[in-house]
Coordinates of all heavy atoms in Angstrom, one line a residue:
I12 N 2.1 -12.3 -3.3 CA 2.4 -10.8 -3.7 C 3.4 -10.8 -4.9 O 4.5 -11.4 -4.7 CB 2.9 -10.1 -2.5 CG1 2.2 -10.3 -1.3 CG2 3.2 -8.6 -2.8 CD1 2.9 -9.8 0.1
G13 N 2.9 -10.4 -6.0 CA 3.9 -10.3 -7.2 C 3.6 -11.4 -8.2 O 3.4 -12.5 -7.8
G14 N 3.5 -10.9 -9.5 CA 3.1 -12.0 -10.5 C 4.2 -12.2 -11.5 O 4.0 -12.4 -12.7
G15 N 5.5 -12.1 -11.0 CA 6.7 -12.4 -11.9 C 6.9 -14.0 -11.9 O 5.9 -14.7 -11.5
P16 N 8.0 -14.4 -12.4 CA 8.2 -15.9 -12.5 C 8.0 -16.6 -11.2 O 7.4 -17.7 -11.1 CB 9.6 -16.0 -13.0 CG 10.0 -14.7 -13.6 CD 9.1 -13.7 -12.9
A17 N 8.4 -16.1 -10.1 CA 8.3 -16.8 -8.8 C 6.9 -16.9 -8.4 O 6.4 -17.9 -8.1 CB 9.1 -16.0 -7.7
G18 N 6.1 -15.8 -8.4 CA 4.7 -15.7 -8.0 C 3.9 -16.6 -8.8 O 3.0 -17.3 -8.4
V35 N -1.7 -10.6 -6.3 CA -1.8 -9.2 -6.3 C -0.5 -8.6 -6.8 O 0.5 -8.8 -6.3 CB -2.0 -8.7 -4.8 CG1 -2.1 -7.2 -4.8 CG2 -3.4 -9.2 -4.2
E36 N -0.6 -8.0 -8.0 CA 0.5 -7.5 -8.7 C 0.5 -5.9 -8.9 O -0.5 -5.4 -9.4 CB 0.5 -8.2 -10.1 CG 1.5 -7.6 -11.2 CD 3.0 -7.4 -10.7 OE1 3.6 -8.4 -10.3 OE2 3.4 -6.3 -10.9
R37 N 1.6 -5.3 -8.5 CA 1.7 -3.8 -8.5 C 1.4 -3.2 -9.9 O 0.9 -2.2 -10.0 CB 3.0 -3.4 -7.9 CG 3.1 -1.9 -7.7 CD 4.3 -1.6 -6.9 NE 5.6 -2.1 -7.5 CZ 6.8 -2.0 -6.9 NH1 6.9 -1.4 -5.7 NH2 7.8 -2.5 -7.5
C38 N 2.1 -3.9 -10.9 CA 2.1 -3.3 -12.3 C 0.9 -3.8 -13.1 O 0.3 -4.8 -12.7 CB 3.3 -3.6 -13.0 SG 4.8 -3.0 -12.1
F40 N 0.5 -5.6 -16.8 CA 1.4 -6.3 -17.7 C 1.0 -6.0 -19.1 O -0.3 -5.8 -19.3 CB 1.3 -7.9 -17.5 CG 2.2 -8.4 -16.3 CD1 2.6 -7.5 -15.3 CD2 2.6 -9.7 -16.3 CE1 3.3 -8.1 -14.2 CE2 3.4 -10.2 -15.2 CZ 3.7 -9.3 -14.2
R42 N 5.0 -5.5 -18.5 CA 6.0 -4.5 -17.8 C 7.4 -5.0 -18.0 O 7.7 -6.2 -18.1 CB 5.5 -4.4 -16.3 CG 5.5 -5.7 -15.5 CD 6.9 -5.9 -14.7 NE 6.9 -7.1 -13.9 CZ 7.2 -8.3 -14.3 NH1 7.5 -8.5 -15.6 NH2 7.3 -9.2 -13.5
V44 N 11.1 -5.9 -16.9 CA 12.0 -6.4 -15.8 C 13.3 -6.9 -16.5 O 13.2 -7.4 -17.6 CB 11.4 -7.5 -15.1 CG1 12.4 -8.1 -14.1 CG2 10.1 -7.1 -14.3
I45 N 14.4 -6.7 -15.9 CA 15.6 -7.1 -16.4 C 15.8 -8.6 -16.0 O 15.2 -9.1 -15.0 CB 16.8 -6.2 -16.0 CG1 18.1 -6.6 -16.7 CG2 17.1 -6.4 -14.4 CD1 18.1 -6.3 -18.1
G46 N 16.6 -9.4 -16.7 CA 16.7 -10.8 -16.4 C 16.3 -11.7 -17.6 O 15.3 -12.5 -17.4
E47 N 17.0 -11.6 -18.7 CA 16.5 -12.2 -19.9 C 17.1 -13.4 -20.4 O 16.6 -14.0 -21.3 CB 16.7 -11.1 -21.0 CG 15.9 -9.8 -20.6 CD 16.7 -8.5 -20.9 OE1 17.9 -8.5 -20.7 OE2 16.1 -7.5 -21.0
S48 N 18.2 -13.9 -19.8 CA 18.8 -15.1 -20.2 C 18.5 -16.2 -19.3 O 18.8 -16.2 -18.1 CB 20.3 -14.8 -20.2 OG 21.0 -15.9 -20.9
L49 N 17.7 -17.1 -19.8 CA 17.3 -18.2 -18.9 C 18.3 -19.4 -18.9 O 19.3 -19.4 -19.6 CB 16.0 -18.9 -19.4 CG 14.9 -17.9 -19.6 CD1 13.5 -18.6 -20.1 CD2 14.5 -17.0 -18.3
R106 N 11.6 -10.0 -21.2 CA 10.7 -10.4 -20.0 C 9.3 -9.7 -20.1 O 8.3 -10.3 -19.5 CB 11.4 -9.9 -18.7 CG 12.6 -10.7 -18.4 CD 12.3 -12.1 -17.8 NE 11.5 -12.0 -16.6 CZ 12.0 -11.8 -15.4 NH1 13.3 -11.7 -15.2 NH2 11.2 -11.6 -14.4
D110 N 7.0 -12.9 -19.2 CA 6.3 -12.8 -17.9 C 4.8 -12.7 -18.3 O 3.9 -13.2 -17.5 CB 6.7 -11.6 -17.1 CG 8.1 -11.9 -16.4 OD1 8.8 -12.8 -16.9 OD2 8.5 -11.2 -15.4
A128 N -2.2 -3.3 -8.6 CA -2.5 -3.5 -7.2 C -1.4 -3.7 -6.3 O -0.8 -4.7 -6.3 CB -3.5 -4.5 -7.0
G129 N -0.9 -2.6 -5.6 CA 0.3 -2.7 -4.8 C 0.0 -2.9 -3.4 O -0.9 -2.2 -2.8
V130 N 0.7 -3.9 -2.8 CA 0.5 -4.3 -1.5 C 1.1 -3.3 -0.6 O 2.3 -2.9 -0.8 CB 1.0 -5.7 -1.2 CG1 1.0 -5.9 0.4 CG2 0.2 -6.8 -1.9
A161 N 6.3 -12.9 -3.4 CA 7.1 -13.1 -4.6 C 7.3 -11.6 -5.2 O 7.2 -11.4 -6.4 CB 6.4 -14.0 -5.5
S162 N 7.5 -10.6 -4.4 CA 7.5 -9.2 -4.9 C 8.8 -8.8 -5.4 O 9.0 -7.6 -5.8 CB 7.0 -8.3 -3.7 OG 7.9 -8.4 -2.7
G163 N 9.8 -9.7 -5.5 CA 11.1 -9.4 -6.2 C 11.8 -8.2 -5.5 O 11.9 -8.1 -4.4
Y164 N 12.2 -7.2 -6.4 CA 12.8 -6.0 -5.9 C 12.0 -5.2 -5.0 O 12.4 -4.3 -4.3 CB 13.3 -5.2 -7.1 CG 14.2 -6.0 -8.1 CD1 13.7 -6.3 -9.3 CD2 15.5 -6.4 -7.7 CE1 14.4 -7.1 -10.2 CE2 16.2 -7.2 -8.6 CZ 15.7 -7.5 -9.9 OH 16.4 -8.2 -10.7
G165 N 10.6 -5.4 -5.0 CA 9.7 -4.7 -4.2 C 9.9 -5.1 -2.7 O 9.6 -4.3 -1.8
V167 N 8.4 -6.8 -0.3 CA 7.3 -6.3 0.6 C 7.5 -6.8 2.1 O 7.6 -6.0 3.0 CB 6.0 -6.8 0.1 CG1 4.8 -6.4 1.1 CG2 5.7 -6.1 -1.3
A185 N 24.7 -2.1 -12.2 CA 24.5 -2.5 -13.7 C 23.9 -1.4 -14.4 O 22.9 -0.8 -13.8 CB 23.6 -3.8 -13.7
F187 N 22.3 -0.8 -18.2 CA 21.8 -1.7 -19.4 C 20.8 -1.1 -20.3 O 20.1 -0.1 -19.8 CB 21.4 -3.0 -18.8 CG 20.4 -2.9 -17.8 CD1 19.0 -2.9 -18.0 CD2 20.7 -2.8 -16.4 CE1 18.0 -2.8 -17.1 CE2 19.8 -2.7 -15.4 CZ 18.4 -2.6 -15.7
W216 N 27.5 -7.9 -20.5 CA 26.7 -9.1 -21.0 C 26.1 -8.6 -22.3 O 25.7 -7.4 -22.5 CB 25.5 -9.6 -20.0 CG 24.3 -8.7 -20.0 CD1 23.4 -8.6 -20.9 CD2 23.8 -7.8 -18.9 NE1 22.4 -7.8 -20.5 CE2 22.7 -7.3 -19.3 CE3 24.4 -7.6 -17.6 CZ2 21.9 -6.4 -18.5 CZ3 23.6 -6.8 -16.8 CH2 22.4 -6.2 -17.2
I218 N 23.0 -10.2 -24.6 CA 21.9 -11.2 -24.7 C 21.2 -11.0 -26.0 O 20.4 -10.0 -26.2 CB 21.0 -11.2 -23.5 CG1 21.8 -11.5 -22.2 CG2 19.9 -12.2 -23.7 CD1 21.0 -11.3 -21.0
I271 N 20.9 0.1 -12.2 CA 20.5 -0.4 -11.0 C 21.8 -0.4 -10.1 O 22.7 -1.0 -10.4 CB 19.9 -1.8 -11.0 CG1 18.6 -1.9 -11.9 CG2 19.6 -2.3 -9.6 CD1 18.0 -3.2 -11.9
F274 N 22.9 -4.0 -6.6 CA 21.8 -4.9 -6.9 C 21.7 -6.1 -5.9 O 20.7 -6.7 -5.8 CB 21.7 -5.3 -8.3 CG 23.0 -5.8 -8.8 CD1 23.6 -6.9 -8.4 CD2 23.6 -5.1 -9.9 CE1 24.9 -7.4 -8.9 CE2 24.8 -5.5 -10.4 CZ 25.4 -6.6 -9.9
V289 N 9.8 -16.0 -1.8 CA 10.3 -16.8 -2.9 C 11.0 -15.8 -3.8 O 10.7 -14.6 -3.9 CB 9.3 -17.6 -3.5 CG1 8.7 -18.7 -2.6 CG2 8.1 -16.8 -4.1
G290 N 11.8 -16.3 -4.7 CA 12.5 -15.5 -5.8 C 13.4 -14.4 -5.2 O 13.9 -14.6 -4.2
N291 N 13.4 -13.3 -6.0 CA 14.3 -12.3 -5.6 C 13.9 -11.6 -4.4 O 14.8 -10.7 -3.8 CB 14.2 -11.1 -6.7 CG 15.4 -11.2 -7.6 OD1 16.0 -12.2 -7.9 ND2 15.7 -10.0 -8.1
T292 N 12.8 -11.9 -3.7 CA 12.5 -11.2 -2.4 C 13.5 -11.6 -1.4 O 13.8 -10.9 -0.5 CB 11.1 -11.8 -2.0 OG1 10.2 -11.8 -3.1 CG2 10.5 -11.0 -0.8
F295 N 19.5 -11.8 -4.2 CA 19.9 -11.7 -5.5 C 21.4 -11.5 -5.4 O 21.9 -10.7 -4.8 CB 19.3 -10.6 -6.3 CG 19.8 -10.5 -7.8 CD1 19.6 -11.6 -8.6 CD2 20.6 -9.5 -8.2 CE1 20.1 -11.6 -9.9 CE2 21.2 -9.5 -9.4 CZ 21.0 -10.5 -10.3
P298 N 24.2 -10.6 -12.0 CA 23.7 -11.2 -13.3 C 24.7 -12.2 -14.0 O 24.1 -13.0 -14.8 CB 23.7 -9.9 -14.2 CG 23.8 -8.7 -13.3 CD 24.5 -9.2 -12.1
S301 N 23.4 -15.8 -15.0 CA 22.0 -15.8 -15.2 C 21.1 -16.7 -14.3 O 20.2 -17.5 -14.8 CB 21.6 -16.2 -16.7 OG 22.6 -15.7 -17.5
S302 N 21.4 -16.6 -13.0 CA 20.7 -17.6 -12.0 C 19.4 -17.1 -11.6 O 18.6 -17.9 -11.0 CB 21.6 -17.8 -10.8 OG 21.8 -16.6 -10.2
G303 N 19.0 -15.8 -11.8 CA 17.9 -15.2 -11.1 C 16.5 -15.9 -11.4 O 15.8 -16.2 -10.4
V304 N 16.1 -16.1 -12.7 CA 14.8 -16.6 -13.0 C 14.7 -18.1 -12.5 O 13.7 -18.6 -12.1 CB 14.4 -16.4 -14.5 CG1 13.1 -17.1 -14.8 CG2 14.4 -14.9 -14.8
T305 N 15.9 -18.8 -12.7 CA 16.0 -20.2 -12.2 C 15.7 -20.3 -10.7 O 14.9 -21.2 -10.3 CB 17.4 -20.9 -12.6 OG1 17.5 -20.7 -14.0 CG2 17.5 -22.2 -12.2
A307 N 14.2 -18.1 -8.9 CA 12.8 -17.6 -8.7 C 11.8 -18.8 -8.9 O 11.0 -18.9 -8.0 CB 12.5 -16.5 -9.6
Ligands
FAD508 P1 10.2 -10.1 -10.4 O1 10.4 -10.6 -11.7 O2 10.9 -8.9 -10.0 O3 8.7 -10.0 -10.1 C1 8.2 -9.4 -8.9 C2 6.9 -8.8 -9.2 O4 6.4 -8.3 -7.9 C3 6.9 -7.6 -10.1 O5 6.1 -7.8 -11.2 C4 6.5 -6.4 -9.3 O6 5.8 -5.5 -10.0 C5 5.8 -7.0 -8.2 N1 5.7 -6.3 -6.9 C6 6.7 -5.6 -6.3 N2 6.2 -4.9 -5.2 C7 4.9 -5.2 -5.1 C8 3.8 -4.8 -4.3 N3 4.2 -4.0 -3.2 N4 2.7 -5.3 -4.4 C9 2.4 -6.1 -5.5 N5 3.2 -6.5 -6.3 C10 4.6 -6.1 -6.2 N6 18.0 -13.4 -14.1 C11 18.2 -14.3 -15.0 O7 17.7 -15.4 -14.8 N7 18.9 -14.1 -16.1 C12 19.5 -12.9 -16.3 O8 20.2 -12.7 -17.5 C13 19.4 -11.9 -15.4 N8 20.0 -10.7 -15.5 C14 19.9 -9.8 -14.6 C15 20.6 -8.5 -14.7 C16 20.5 -7.5 -13.6 C17 21.2 -6.2 -13.7 C18 19.7 -7.8 -12.4 C19 19.6 -6.8 -11.4 C20 19.1 -9.0 -12.3 C21 19.2 -10.0 -13.4 N9 18.5 -11.3 -13.3 C22 18.7 -12.2 -14.2 C23 17.7 -11.5 -12.1 C24 16.2 -11.4 -12.5 O9 15.8 -10.0 -12.7 C25 15.3 -11.8 -11.2 O10 16.0 -12.8 -10.5 C26 14.0 -12.3 -11.5 O11 13.2 -11.3 -12.2 C27 13.3 -12.7 -10.3 O12 11.9 -13.1 -10.4 P2 10.9 -12.8 -9.3 O13 9.6 -13.3 -9.8 O14 11.4 -13.2 -8.0 O15 10.8 -11.2 -9.2

Side-chain angles (χ1 to χ4, degrees):
I12 310 171
V35 175
E36 163 57 53
R37 186 171 59 185
C38 297
F40 278 25
R42 59 94 178 86
V44 172
I45 192 65
E47 298 136 331
S48 189
L49 306 183
R106 292 284 300 280
D110 287 20
V130 170
S162 58
Y164 308 107
V167 172
F187 51 90
W216 81 68
I218 299 172
I271 301 184
F274 48 65
V289 299
N291 255 32
T292 317
F295 178 67
S301 316
S302 60
V304 175
T305 300

